[in-house]
Amino acid sequence: MLRIQKSRCTPTTLLDTLIIILLLTASTVTSAEPTDSFNKAKKLLENKIYYDHRVTLYCGAEFDEKKNVTLPKGFVTSKHKKRAKRIEWEHVVPAENFGKTFKEWRDGHTLCVDSKGKSFKGRNCASKVNEEYRYMQSDLYNLYPAIGAVNAGRSNYNFAMLPQAKSSFGICVMKIDNRKAEPPEAARGVIARTYLYMEQRYKRYKMSKQQRKLMEVWDKQYPVTEWECKRAERIRSLQGNVNGMVIMQCKYSQM
C-alpha cells in the first residue's frame, strides 16, 4: 500500500492527486517511501534506477557500476581533471537554491558545532538539523548522474541561453560563462521538468520569473523521452510521489 506522509509526500496540486489515483488503479505500489539520506538516495539511483541506463545527463557519457566514466572522444576539461574520471550525482536544481531558504543554512544552529568547537552553517548544518531540508536534498527526481568535472564546472549556476559562449568541455556542448550555464539540447527538457517539479512540490522554493519562463519554453520545445518516462516511473515506485510535469506527457505520448 502506498504510504503518503503529510509533511513531505502529500501531493501539492490537484493534478498530482488525480495522477496518483490514475496510477494506483493501474498498478500497486509497495514499500514506497521517501528518504532523508543523501547517501541512501545515491545508492537507490545507482542500484534501482540507473542500473540498465548508465548514461550521464549533460554529456551522454557511459559509466559502469563502480561509477567509472568512459569519456566521449573529444571531451576536454581544463579543470577538475581527476573528477572527470568519475560520475557524481548532481542536483539539477542546486541545493543552495532551496537550501538558502532554511535558517540553518543562512545562520547556523546551536547544534552545528564541529569537534573543535567551531560553529558552522550552510549545507552541512541544514542537513544535520533540519529534516525538511534533508528530504529536499534527497529527492530522487532532482538527482542525475554527471561527469564530475562537469558537475564541478556547473557549480550552483542558474541555466541560461549563452549564444556567444563556446563549449567548456569540447564535444560535450555544455557552456559555462559568467556564472551561468547552458546545457546541451538533449538535456534541456529533462532540466526544465525537474525545475518545474521542484517548484510545484516544495512551496519554499521559487524560481525567478526569468528562469521559470526559460524552463517553460524548454519544457514545450523538448518533449519527454522514453527513458525519462521510465526513470519517473521507477522513482515513483521508490519515493511514492509523481513528477506530474513528466508523467502527463508520458501518458499523452502513449495515446
Side-chain angles (χ1 to χ4, degrees), residues 2-21:
L2 179 62
R3 298 171 58 192
I4 299 179
Q5 300 181 30
K6 184 175 181 181
S7 62
R8 50 190 178 266
C9 293
T10 301
T12 55
T13 66
L14 178 59
L15 174 62
D16 234 359
T17 304
L18 292 173
I19 293 170
I20 284 183
I21 292 171

PDB file of all heavy atoms in Angstrom, residues 2-21:
ATOM      1  N   LEU A   2       0.500   2.240  -0.782  1.00  0.00           N
ATOM      2  CA  LEU A   2       1.259   3.468  -0.865  1.00  0.00           C
ATOM      3  C   LEU A   2       1.150   4.251   0.430  1.00  0.00           C
ATOM      4  O   LEU A   2       0.070   4.530   0.920  1.00  0.00           O
ATOM      5  CB  LEU A   2       0.735   4.323  -2.023  1.00  0.00           C
ATOM      6  CG  LEU A   2       1.417   5.665  -2.246  1.00  0.00           C
ATOM      7  CD1 LEU A   2       2.870   5.423  -2.585  1.00  0.00           C
ATOM      8  CD2 LEU A   2       0.726   6.418  -3.373  1.00  0.00           C
ATOM      9  N   ARG A   3       2.287   4.600   0.989  1.00  0.00           N
ATOM     10  CA  ARG A   3       2.310   5.382   2.231  1.00  0.00           C
ATOM     11  C   ARG A   3       2.620   6.822   1.901  1.00  0.00           C
ATOM     12  O   ARG A   3       3.649   7.121   1.315  1.00  0.00           O
ATOM     13  CB  ARG A   3       3.374   4.822   3.176  1.00  0.00           C
ATOM     14  CG  ARG A   3       3.106   3.392   3.598  1.00  0.00           C
ATOM     15  CD  ARG A   3       4.286   2.817   4.341  1.00  0.00           C
ATOM     16  NE  ARG A   3       4.588   3.637   5.509  1.00  0.00           N
ATOM     17  CZ  ARG A   3       5.722   3.501   6.203  1.00  0.00           C
ATOM     18  NH1 ARG A   3       6.627   2.631   5.847  1.00  0.00           N
ATOM     19  NH2 ARG A   3       5.945   4.259   7.261  1.00  0.00           N
ATOM     20  N   ILE A   4       1.740   7.722   2.269  1.00  0.00           N
ATOM     21  CA  ILE A   4       1.945   9.138   1.999  1.00  0.00           C
ATOM     22  C   ILE A   4       2.013   9.885   3.317  1.00  0.00           C
ATOM     23  O   ILE A   4       1.067   9.911   4.087  1.00  0.00           O
ATOM     24  CB  ILE A   4       0.809   9.723   1.128  1.00  0.00           C
ATOM     25  CG1 ILE A   4       0.772   9.002  -0.218  1.00  0.00           C
ATOM     26  CG2 ILE A   4       0.986  11.207   0.941  1.00  0.00           C
ATOM     27  CD1 ILE A   4      -0.315   9.485  -1.129  1.00  0.00           C
ATOM     28  N   GLN A   5       3.183  10.489   3.574  1.00  0.00           N
ATOM     29  CA  GLN A   5       3.373  11.225   4.812  1.00  0.00           C
ATOM     30  C   GLN A   5       3.049  12.688   4.560  1.00  0.00           C
ATOM     31  O   GLN A   5       3.565  13.288   3.621  1.00  0.00           O
ATOM     32  CB  GLN A   5       4.820  11.081   5.289  1.00  0.00           C
ATOM     33  CG  GLN A   5       5.179   9.606   5.550  1.00  0.00           C
ATOM     34  CD  GLN A   5       6.589   9.474   6.052  1.00  0.00           C
ATOM     35  OE1 GLN A   5       7.089  10.374   6.709  1.00  0.00           O
ATOM     36  NE2 GLN A   5       7.221   8.358   5.773  1.00  0.00           N
ATOM     37  N   LYS A   6       2.229  13.241   5.377  1.00  0.00           N
ATOM     38  CA  LYS A   6       1.665  14.558   5.133  1.00  0.00           C
ATOM     39  C   LYS A   6       2.714  15.628   4.934  1.00  0.00           C
ATOM     40  O   LYS A   6       2.603  16.478   4.062  1.00  0.00           O
ATOM     41  CB  LYS A   6       0.741  14.943   6.289  1.00  0.00           C
ATOM     42  CG  LYS A   6       0.030  16.280   6.070  1.00  0.00           C
ATOM     43  CD  LYS A   6      -0.944  16.540   7.185  1.00  0.00           C
ATOM     44  CE  LYS A   6      -1.672  17.856   6.970  1.00  0.00           C
ATOM     45  NZ  LYS A   6      -2.617  18.150   8.041  1.00  0.00           N
ATOM     46  N   SER A   7       3.768  15.630   5.726  1.00  0.00           N
ATOM     47  CA  SER A   7       4.715  16.721   5.688  1.00  0.00           C
ATOM     48  C   SER A   7       5.574  16.740   4.440  1.00  0.00           C
ATOM     49  O   SER A   7       6.113  17.754   4.065  1.00  0.00           O
ATOM     50  CB  SER A   7       5.642  16.657   6.907  1.00  0.00           C
ATOM     51  OG  SER A   7       6.391  15.451   6.872  1.00  0.00           O
ATOM     52  N   ARG A   8       5.725  15.563   3.755  1.00  0.00           N
ATOM     53  CA  ARG A   8       6.634  15.570   2.640  1.00  0.00           C
ATOM     54  C   ARG A   8       6.153  14.808   1.416  1.00  0.00           C
ATOM     55  O   ARG A   8       6.757  14.866   0.372  1.00  0.00           O
ATOM     56  CB  ARG A   8       7.999  15.018   3.063  1.00  0.00           C
ATOM     57  CG  ARG A   8       7.891  13.690   3.790  1.00  0.00           C
ATOM     58  CD  ARG A   8       9.234  13.316   4.396  1.00  0.00           C
ATOM     59  NE  ARG A   8       9.189  12.085   5.143  1.00  0.00           N
ATOM     60  CZ  ARG A   8       8.989  11.991   6.431  1.00  0.00           C
ATOM     61  NH1 ARG A   8       8.820  13.075   7.143  1.00  0.00           N
ATOM     62  NH2 ARG A   8       8.985  10.824   7.054  1.00  0.00           N
ATOM     63  N   CYS A   9       5.060  14.040   1.512  1.00  0.00           N
ATOM     64  CA  CYS A   9       4.615  13.253   0.361  1.00  0.00           C
ATOM     65  C   CYS A   9       3.256  13.655  -0.146  1.00  0.00           C
ATOM     66  O   CYS A   9       2.840  13.204  -1.199  1.00  0.00           O
ATOM     67  CB  CYS A   9       4.589  11.762   0.725  1.00  0.00           C
ATOM     68  SG  CYS A   9       6.223  11.086   1.015  1.00  0.00           S
ATOM     69  N   THR A  10       2.517  14.447   0.610  1.00  0.00           N
ATOM     70  CA  THR A  10       1.191  14.829   0.157  1.00  0.00           C
ATOM     71  C   THR A  10       1.293  15.603  -1.143  1.00  0.00           C
ATOM     72  O   THR A  10       2.082  16.529  -1.253  1.00  0.00           O
ATOM     73  CB  THR A  10       0.499  15.719   1.214  1.00  0.00           C
ATOM     74  OG1 THR A  10       0.426  14.985   2.420  1.00  0.00           O
ATOM     75  CG2 THR A  10      -0.888  16.097   0.763  1.00  0.00           C
ATOM     76  N   PRO A  11       0.544  15.263  -2.192  1.00  0.00           N
ATOM     77  CA  PRO A  11       0.611  15.981  -3.460  1.00  0.00           C
ATOM     78  C   PRO A  11       0.327  17.457  -3.262  1.00  0.00           C
ATOM     79  O   PRO A  11      -0.520  17.844  -2.475  1.00  0.00           O
ATOM     80  CB  PRO A  11      -0.475  15.313  -4.307  1.00  0.00           C
ATOM     81  CG  PRO A  11      -0.647  13.959  -3.693  1.00  0.00           C
ATOM     82  CD  PRO A  11      -0.403  14.153  -2.224  1.00  0.00           C
ATOM     83  N   THR A  12       1.037  18.294  -3.973  1.00  0.00           N
ATOM     84  CA  THR A  12       0.907  19.730  -3.783  1.00  0.00           C
ATOM     85  C   THR A  12      -0.150  20.347  -4.684  1.00  0.00           C
ATOM     86  O   THR A  12      -0.468  21.507  -4.538  1.00  0.00           O
ATOM     87  CB  THR A  12       2.249  20.421  -4.047  1.00  0.00           C
ATOM     88  OG1 THR A  12       2.691  20.054  -5.355  1.00  0.00           O
ATOM     89  CG2 THR A  12       3.289  19.987  -3.041  1.00  0.00           C
ATOM     90  N   THR A  13      -0.678  19.586  -5.642  1.00  0.00           N
ATOM     91  CA  THR A  13      -1.687  20.136  -6.532  1.00  0.00           C
ATOM     92  C   THR A  13      -2.759  19.095  -6.788  1.00  0.00           C
ATOM     93  O   THR A  13      -2.570  17.895  -6.584  1.00  0.00           O
ATOM     94  CB  THR A  13      -1.081  20.530  -7.889  1.00  0.00           C
ATOM     95  OG1 THR A  13      -0.638  19.347  -8.547  1.00  0.00           O
ATOM     96  CG2 THR A  13       0.073  21.487  -7.732  1.00  0.00           C
ATOM     97  N   LEU A  14      -3.905  19.555  -7.286  1.00  0.00           N
ATOM     98  CA  LEU A  14      -4.976  18.642  -7.676  1.00  0.00           C
ATOM     99  C   LEU A  14      -4.504  17.718  -8.787  1.00  0.00           C
ATOM    100  O   LEU A  14      -4.857  16.539  -8.827  1.00  0.00           O
ATOM    101  CB  LEU A  14      -6.189  19.448  -8.143  1.00  0.00           C
ATOM    102  CG  LEU A  14      -7.406  18.633  -8.642  1.00  0.00           C
ATOM    103  CD1 LEU A  14      -7.907  17.700  -7.554  1.00  0.00           C
ATOM    104  CD2 LEU A  14      -8.500  19.573  -9.110  1.00  0.00           C
ATOM    105  N   LEU A  15      -3.689  18.255  -9.699  1.00  0.00           N
ATOM    106  CA  LEU A  15      -3.146  17.434 -10.783  1.00  0.00           C
ATOM    107  C   LEU A  15      -2.380  16.246 -10.222  1.00  0.00           C
ATOM    108  O   LEU A  15      -2.553  15.112 -10.686  1.00  0.00           O
ATOM    109  CB  LEU A  15      -2.219  18.282 -11.659  1.00  0.00           C
ATOM    110  CG  LEU A  15      -1.445  17.534 -12.759  1.00  0.00           C
ATOM    111  CD1 LEU A  15      -2.424  16.910 -13.749  1.00  0.00           C
ATOM    112  CD2 LEU A  15      -0.491  18.488 -13.471  1.00  0.00           C
ATOM    113  N   ASP A  16      -1.525  16.496  -9.235  1.00  0.00           N
ATOM    114  CA  ASP A  16      -0.761  15.416  -8.603  1.00  0.00           C
ATOM    115  C   ASP A  16      -1.704  14.359  -8.033  1.00  0.00           C
ATOM    116  O   ASP A  16      -1.487  13.159  -8.174  1.00  0.00           O
ATOM    117  CB  ASP A  16       0.094  15.997  -7.467  1.00  0.00           C
ATOM    118  CG  ASP A  16       1.556  15.616  -7.620  1.00  0.00           C
ATOM    119  OD1 ASP A  16       1.881  14.901  -8.581  1.00  0.00           O
ATOM    120  OD2 ASP A  16       2.350  16.046  -6.773  1.00  0.00           O
ATOM    121  N   THR A  17      -2.764  14.808  -7.375  1.00  0.00           N
ATOM    122  CA  THR A  17      -3.719  13.885  -6.763  1.00  0.00           C
ATOM    123  C   THR A  17      -4.387  13.018  -7.808  1.00  0.00           C
ATOM    124  O   THR A  17      -4.497  11.795  -7.662  1.00  0.00           O
ATOM    125  CB  THR A  17      -4.798  14.680  -5.997  1.00  0.00           C
ATOM    126  OG1 THR A  17      -4.167  15.532  -5.052  1.00  0.00           O
ATOM    127  CG2 THR A  17      -5.738  13.729  -5.265  1.00  0.00           C
ATOM    128  N   LEU A  18      -4.854  13.637  -8.900  1.00  0.00           N
ATOM    129  CA  LEU A  18      -5.524  12.893  -9.957  1.00  0.00           C
ATOM    130  C   LEU A  18      -4.589  11.886 -10.611  1.00  0.00           C
ATOM    131  O   LEU A  18      -4.982  10.761 -10.930  1.00  0.00           O
ATOM    132  CB  LEU A  18      -6.063  13.867 -11.006  1.00  0.00           C
ATOM    133  CG  LEU A  18      -7.205  14.778 -10.549  1.00  0.00           C
ATOM    134  CD1 LEU A  18      -7.527  15.802 -11.625  1.00  0.00           C
ATOM    135  CD2 LEU A  18      -8.442  13.950 -10.200  1.00  0.00           C
ATOM    136  N   ILE A  19      -3.338  12.282 -10.795  1.00  0.00           N
ATOM    137  CA  ILE A  19      -2.368  11.373 -11.411  1.00  0.00           C
ATOM    138  C   ILE A  19      -2.124  10.167 -10.527  1.00  0.00           C
ATOM    139  O   ILE A  19      -2.064   9.031 -10.997  1.00  0.00           O
ATOM    140  CB  ILE A  19      -1.047  12.109 -11.695  1.00  0.00           C
ATOM    141  CG1 ILE A  19      -1.253  13.157 -12.775  1.00  0.00           C
ATOM    142  CG2 ILE A  19       0.031  11.118 -12.138  1.00  0.00           C
ATOM    143  CD1 ILE A  19      -0.087  14.096 -12.954  1.00  0.00           C
ATOM    144  N   ILE A  20      -2.000  10.385  -9.222  1.00  0.00           N
ATOM    145  CA  ILE A  20      -1.763   9.276  -8.306  1.00  0.00           C
ATOM    146  C   ILE A  20      -2.944   8.306  -8.335  1.00  0.00           C
ATOM    147  O   ILE A  20      -2.774   7.089  -8.343  1.00  0.00           O
ATOM    148  CB  ILE A  20      -1.516   9.787  -6.872  1.00  0.00           C
ATOM    149  CG1 ILE A  20      -0.106  10.361  -6.777  1.00  0.00           C
ATOM    150  CG2 ILE A  20      -1.682   8.672  -5.858  1.00  0.00           C
ATOM    151  CD1 ILE A  20       0.289  10.838  -5.404  1.00  0.00           C
ATOM    152  N   ILE A  21      -4.167   8.850  -8.363  1.00  0.00           N
ATOM    153  CA  ILE A  21      -5.349   7.983  -8.424  1.00  0.00           C
ATOM    154  C   ILE A  21      -5.318   7.129  -9.675  1.00  0.00           C
ATOM    155  O   ILE A  21      -5.567   5.922  -9.646  1.00  0.00           O
ATOM    156  CB  ILE A  21      -6.643   8.827  -8.371  1.00  0.00           C
ATOM    157  CG1 ILE A  21      -6.780   9.483  -6.990  1.00  0.00           C
ATOM    158  CG2 ILE A  21      -7.863   7.956  -8.679  1.00  0.00           C
ATOM    159  CD1 ILE A  21      -7.900  10.498  -6.911  1.00  0.00           C
TER     160      ILE A  21
END
